[in-house]
Amino acid sequence: DAAAAARTGARHVAQAFDGPTVLALQSDGQLSGVDAATEITPSMQDGLRAAMREAAVLGPGTGRWPGLNAWYLPLGSGQQMHGAVCVQNIEASDDAGREHAQALCALIAQALERLRLGREMAMANERNTRQQLQNTFLAAVSHDLRTPLAAMVGNASSLRTQRDKMTTDKQATLLDGIVLSATHLSRLTENTLQLVQLANSDQSLALDWESMEEIAGACVARQRQAGGGTRLRLHLAAGLPLVRVNAVLIAQLLDNLLDNAIKFTAAGSIVLRAQALGGGVLFEVQDSGIGIAADRQKQIFNGFEHADVQTNRQYGGTGLGLSICERLVNLQGGTIGVSSVQGQGARFWFQLPMR
């Protein structure tokens, strides 16, 4: 850091001259010696500030303040001054010594400037990363909320304009769709608030012992009503253990994977399986859709990624669903992956540890 660099520089200046020598750094308009025991007298303070203000060496042999018994050398140039150095008990005729002092101060100033630029670059990168995370989060929210909102608006609009022409059963179906979408929207909102809370605090994730049969069964039932129909199947191994997880986030994870499978499978079955395996519980979502090319399977979990450009055009979406899935799995100590043959479907899996 700057203090360590300044101490190293001060030591080399002290070794080069009989002195005494003083190196002072400027912070918030105040000058302070790098050695807390160093006393900076008022006259020395004036000389240090004058050297910084004029960005030039002052003292004997310099043509500036020749009556002094010390050289005052700035650490920096132009608009960026880091401090100054005072070398006492010198001779006006010691040109070589003065040039050596200037060279040392130039090296110290360069080191301090590099550190300053490094700090500014790190802060800029942090701001950029924060901005990217905020943009990703906003895009994720719109990605997750768009579908239930569109369904609610569509059903409500149909009821308002065509209710007189509809049978009682048709009206009931549209109302059920509104309730289902509203419930889904409420759940997503709760998930979003929970993720924001996790991202902005040091609180640990709220975990409890949960039944995987109940979570998986509820997700499949919800997806069947939302459009998956009878082609969506659930295969659970007997005797699945309770797993210590966050049920809300696991439900969102399964919903995202099933949503994708339904969207990319025009015909054929979609199967959700769960079994105890290798000290954890393994979930698999197998579809018979368009599949994913081998060179895209590692990238597909990155934000804003799709199976390919044509997929994005045909099926829409921002490519955030799987990146959200990966985040939800990682939050609970699990792993996630995919295996696929393009044109023959995909198998997404994630495994949760049995704590």
Side-chain angles (χ1 to χ4, degrees), residues 255-338:
D255 278 336
N256 282 349
L257 291 177
L258 292 171
D259 277 339
N260 269 0
I262 293 169
K263 181 165 68 172
F264 294 114
T265 305
S269 62
I270 299 163
V271 182
L272 170 59
R273 298 185 181 90
Q275 60 178 314
L277 183 68
V281 174
L282 176 69
F283 287 86
E284 300 172 281
V285 176
Q286 177 76 54
D287 65 50
S288 51
I290 63 173
I292 305 167
D295 61 346
R296 300 289 299 165
Q297 291 177 21
K298 288 185 178 180
Q299 302 170 359
I300 203 69
F301 291 99
N302 298 334
F304 307 104
E305 292 286 348
H306 300 84
D308 53 45
V309 175
Q310 186 60 40
T311 299
N312 187 25
R313 290 200 193 107
Q314 183 177 352
Y315 295 94
T318 58
L320 283 166
L322 291 175
S323 66
I324 296 171
C325 288
E326 185 177 48
R327 172 68 173 152
L328 296 178
V329 170
N330 291 341
L331 279 171
Q332 298 173 90
T335 54
I336 190 170
V338 61

Side-chain angles (χ1 to χ4, degrees), residues 145-167:
L145 302 186
R146 187 183 297 118
T147 300
L149 281 172
M152 289 170 65
V153 170
N155 287 359
S157 178
S158 297
L159 281 170
R160 185 181 65 179
T161 59
Q162 303 178 36
R163 181 172 51 189
D164 295 340
K165 304 176 184 178
M166 294 180 183
T167 64

